[in-house]
Amino acid sequence: MPSKRAADSAPAGQAKRTAGRTAASVYRHYVSDNPFGIKPLGNMLFDSQPPARPHGLGAFAPLDDHLLLELLADSDAFGGPDGDRALCRLARASRAWYCLAYNDAVWRQRTIARFGGDFVFAGSWRNTFKRCVIVSRQRSAGRSISDDDGQDPPGLVRDAIIRVPGMFSDVIYTSWRCSSVPLEHLCGTAVDNIDRRSGLSMADFVREYTEPNRPVILTDVVTSWPAFGKWSMDYFVRNYGRKLFRAEAVDMAFEDYARYAAQAHEESPLYLFDKHFAEDSSLAADYTVPEFFAEDLFQVLGNRRPDYRWLIVGPARSGSTFHVDPNSTSAWNAVITGAKKWVMFPPEHIPPGVFPSADGSEVTSPVSLAEWFMNYYSELDQSPATRKHIECVCRAGEILYVPNGWWHCVMNLSESIAVTQNFVTSENLVNVLDFAEFRPEQVSGFCHGDLYTEFVDALRSQRPEVLEATQKRRAAKLRAANLDAAKARCTVSSSESFWSKLSAAPSADGDTVEADEAASGGSFLFSFE
């Protein structure tokens, strides 16, 4: 079957990107009605209602809302049943405290801190917290109670939200807006500038994508897997409902996570990202690693290899903020159900709004994925650097190749199930060995000691020819880097600065004044009349 490339002509593609970006930028100013009646801070200047915050918070009024929310969510400051009662009393103290104490992010943090993943979501995190407390008390009293049906237990009264006049908060309103903006406008879902290929030969894939380190979507791989058409939320609930999966910082039974995902309406929903999904299940048999990614040199480490495969499940708006895949590996991501918005930048271009540390060990970026799209997405075509990015929507039945070093973020546009694996090829082995040797403190998913030494020893034993060729390439890379550094030093030293010209200027007797003499005051001085 001949290879097919899906691509727009340049003018049409640019017009499509511009239209998609314009639609997204309009929604930077999207105004939604917060259920508590909270408005952005700037509205206070024109609103007829007096602000509730200054008098309502009393001595706490000078503190930032973000700090106050963190304080209320802190299990140390408001811990245990006494802390719960104190928060309830605080909510009755004023309109401002009511809005802060009822904020759902506060109760999400308190629920997870108190109950971990052992909860049945009840529409909001505050209702979920109350439900957990009631169920816990009834069980402690020896009463038999079933949580399997998800019904509200006796005694649970769900919150009736009260609208509050005069409450202005950028922190609370922005979070609400990020959870409410329509995703098709927020993420520019019409924008798509990636290659989509089918019928691709292995040789073509290596030449066109592996060697130049370029992303691509393959459209004719996933559709042949048993997982495609078989995996769904209902399938997992029926077959693995009580199996525990990792959802960020907690372990949850899948049926509990599915119930949560169906009701979640928040800025950053919990994202199921589980590396142990293949244990005690037949899920790994439902897909086959494509031939394009079959070479994985970490396999020489056997079961001591770094973490490498994950089941990924999440509702709309869940996803991953900008990052580079661990240990300098490449990856593939196959979408079984749903759709994912991807924004990607090549290794040499850092995404706008993202600030990595000098050694790459830490990355500072907006709190949520939606916030990044809200504040930075419309800027992508405004400079030559950001125009080098790639973005696309990867849909059910498609698989995306993520080359090593590429920055990327991913937003689920709908409820989605995917599987992903990281791998090491011969072409990328130089980068992986460099990372493992020179950045050992940043090695991820490996808990057996020194990854570099163990990996090199295993390669020497099982793939000596690959290791030998790679070490020669590493040596050549080092020589080239040293040569470039030497050239840079020569360039700097050969260019005369203004100071060097002054310090080498002739003195009155015709001799050259040396820098040491100039520094000691022997050549000139500055003064003001």
Side-chain angles (χ1 to χ4, degrees):
M1 179 177 176
S3 174
K4 300 177 182 177
R5 185 194 302 269
D8 295 319
S9 63
Q14 181 60 45
K16 191 175 183 180
R17 289 193 291 275
T18 303
R21 197 91 62 223
T22 301
S25 65
V26 169
Y27 276 81
R28 293 181 66 187
H29 308 289
Y30 176 85
V31 177
S32 59
D33 189 24
N34 181 275
F36 290 86
I38 299 171
K39 299 176 182 178
L41 190 60
N43 288 32
M44 182 172 61
L45 299 175
F46 307 102
D47 200 284
S48 60
Q49 293 290 336
R53 199 177 186 284
H55 297 294
L57 297 183
F60 289 91
L63 298 181
D64 178 76
D65 285 349
H66 180 77
L67 179 60
L68 290 173
L69 292 174
E70 285 294 322
L71 178 66
L72 298 180
D74 192 338
S75 57
D76 292 329
F78 289 89
D82 289 341
D84 301 338
R85 285 189 286 269
L87 275 183
C88 291
R89 289 194 296 269
L90 192 61
R92 296 197 293 268
S94 69
R95 291 176 293 167
W97 279 121
Y98 168 76
C99 291
L100 291 167
Y102 268 65
N103 183 267
D104 224 31
V106 168
W107 295 98
R108 168 172 164 161
Q109 189 168 328
R110 293 179 68 83
T111 300
I112 291 174
R114 179 87 63 87
F115 303 102
D118 186 18
F119 64 83
V120 173
F121 196 69
S124 75
W125 283 104
R126 193 171 188 276
N127 286 329
T128 301
F129 185 90
K130 292 193 295 183
R131 189 186 193 286
C132 288
V133 169
I134 291 172
V135 169
S136 178
R137 288 176 178 173
Q138 291 177 345
R139 287 176 175 168
S140 297
R143 299 172 191 161
S144 176
I145 180 169
S146 173
D147 233 6
D148 295 340
D149 57 5
Q151 297 298 312
D152 289 349
L156 175 61
V157 178
R158 297 201 176 201
D159 293 330
I161 301 301
I162 301 172
R163 292 183 65 83
V164 174
M167 186 62 184
F168 307 95
S169 171
D170 282 345
V171 172
I172 298 176
Y173 185 81
T174 298
S175 179
W176 168 257
R177 185 177 66 162
C178 285
S179 71
S180 306
V181 175
L183 287 178
E184 63 271 21
H185 300 288
L186 178 70
C187 298
T189 55
V191 185
D192 198 311
N193 62 355
I194 194 172
D195 286 353
R196 278 183 155 79
R197 304 294 296 271
S198 63
L200 198 62
S201 70
M202 185 66 190
D204 288 342
F205 178 81
V206 171
R207 184 180 67 256
E208 297 182 38
Y209 300 103
T210 302
E211 291 178 348
N213 212 41
R214 290 178 54 210
V216 64
I217 286 179
L218 305 176
T219 61
D220 58 349
V221 174
V222 178
T223 51
S224 64
W225 292 352
F228 187 71
K230 176 180 179 182
W231 288 8
S232 67
M233 297 297 280
D234 288 341
Y235 172 81
F236 276 88
V237 169
R238 287 195 310 270
N239 294 276
Y240 303 103
R242 298 315 300 170
K243 178 178 170 60
L244 295 180
F245 291 84
R246 190 72 171 177
E248 298 186 15
V250 297
D251 293 321
M252 296 182 66
F254 191 89
E255 63 183 7
D256 292 339
Y257 180 80
R259 189 178 288 115
Y260 158 79
Q263 303 176 65
H265 182 82
E266 53 187 325
E267 181 181 4
S268 300
L270 286 176
Y271 202 18
L272 190 153
F273 213 93
D274 189 88
K275 64 184 179 182
H276 299 299
F277 72 95
E279 299 174 6
D280 303 320
S281 79
S282 60
L283 294 173
D286 288 340
Y287 71 92
T288 304
V289 176
E291 63 169 326
F292 309 106
F293 319 120
E295 183 188 35
D296 184 1
L297 294 172
F298 267 153
Q299 289 176 342
V300 299
L301 294 173
N303 59 10
R304 294 172 62 87
R305 65 172 299 161
D307 299 334
Y308 71 105
R309 62 181 177 184
W310 293 266
L311 174 72
I312 312 173
V313 183
R317 229 173 284 267
S318 61
S320 302
T321 54
F322 272 105
H323 64 283
V324 174
D325 279 337
N327 305 328
S328 201
T329 57
S330 300
W332 55 264
N333 187 295
V335 180
I336 310 300
T337 68
K340 295 174 177 288
K341 171 71 178 188
W342 288 74
V343 180
M344 310 174 73
F345 284 82
E348 65 273 15
H349 294 287
I350 299 172
V354 177
F355 306 96
S357 60
D359 63 356
S361 60
E362 296 181 359
V363 177
T364 302
S365 61
V367 174
S368 73
L369 196 53
E371 189 178 353
W372 183 87
F373 276 102
M374 188 83 69
N375 294 322
Y376 295 101
Y377 180 63
S378 61
E379 301 176 7
L380 292 186
D381 284 334
Q382 295 181 10
S383 74
T386 57
R387 281 198 293 268
K388 294 182 181 295
H389 76 285
I390 286 178
E391 57 181 301
C392 61
V393 175
C394 191
R395 297 179 173 82
E398 298 179 334
I399 188 168
L400 176 65
Y401 167 56
V402 186
N404 94 287
W406 277 68
W407 291 91
H408 55 280
C409 72
V410 189
M411 171 81 84
N412 284 322
L413 302 178
S414 60
E415 194 173 72
S416 174
I417 300 175
V419 63
T420 185
Q421 288 194 187
N422 290 70
F423 61 98
V424 182
T425 62
S426 301
E427 291 83 3
N428 186 38
L429 184 56
V430 168
N431 295 319
V432 174
L433 290 179
D434 284 349
F435 186 92
E437 182 176 12
F438 301 122
R439 298 185 182 182
E441 73 285 352
Q442 296 180 36
V443 167
S444 173
F446 186 78
C447 54
H448 305 295
D450 182 2
L451 174 61
Y452 175 77
T453 299
E454 189 164 340
F455 190 25
V456 168
D457 288 345
L459 287 170
R460 185 177 293 111
S461 171
Q462 301 178 47
R463 300 293 300 274
E465 74 290 350
V466 173
L467 178 62
E468 181 181 0
T470 301
Q471 296 294 38
K472 289 180 180 178
R473 289 165 55 206
R474 292 183 73 202
K477 178 182 175 182
L478 181 60
R479 285 194 298 271
N482 290 337
L483 180 60
D484 290 342
K487 289 179 178 178
R489 287 194 297 271
C490 290
T491 302
V492 171
S493 62
S494 64
S495 59
E496 282 190 284
S497 66
F498 179 69
W499 169 254
S500 66
K501 291 178 181 178
L502 284 177
S503 62
S507 63
D509 58 4
D511 295 329
T512 299
V513 179
E514 298 298 332
D516 290 344
E517 183 182 355
S520 66
S523 64
F524 63 90
L525 58 85
F526 293 105
S527 64
F528 295 90
E529 297 284 340

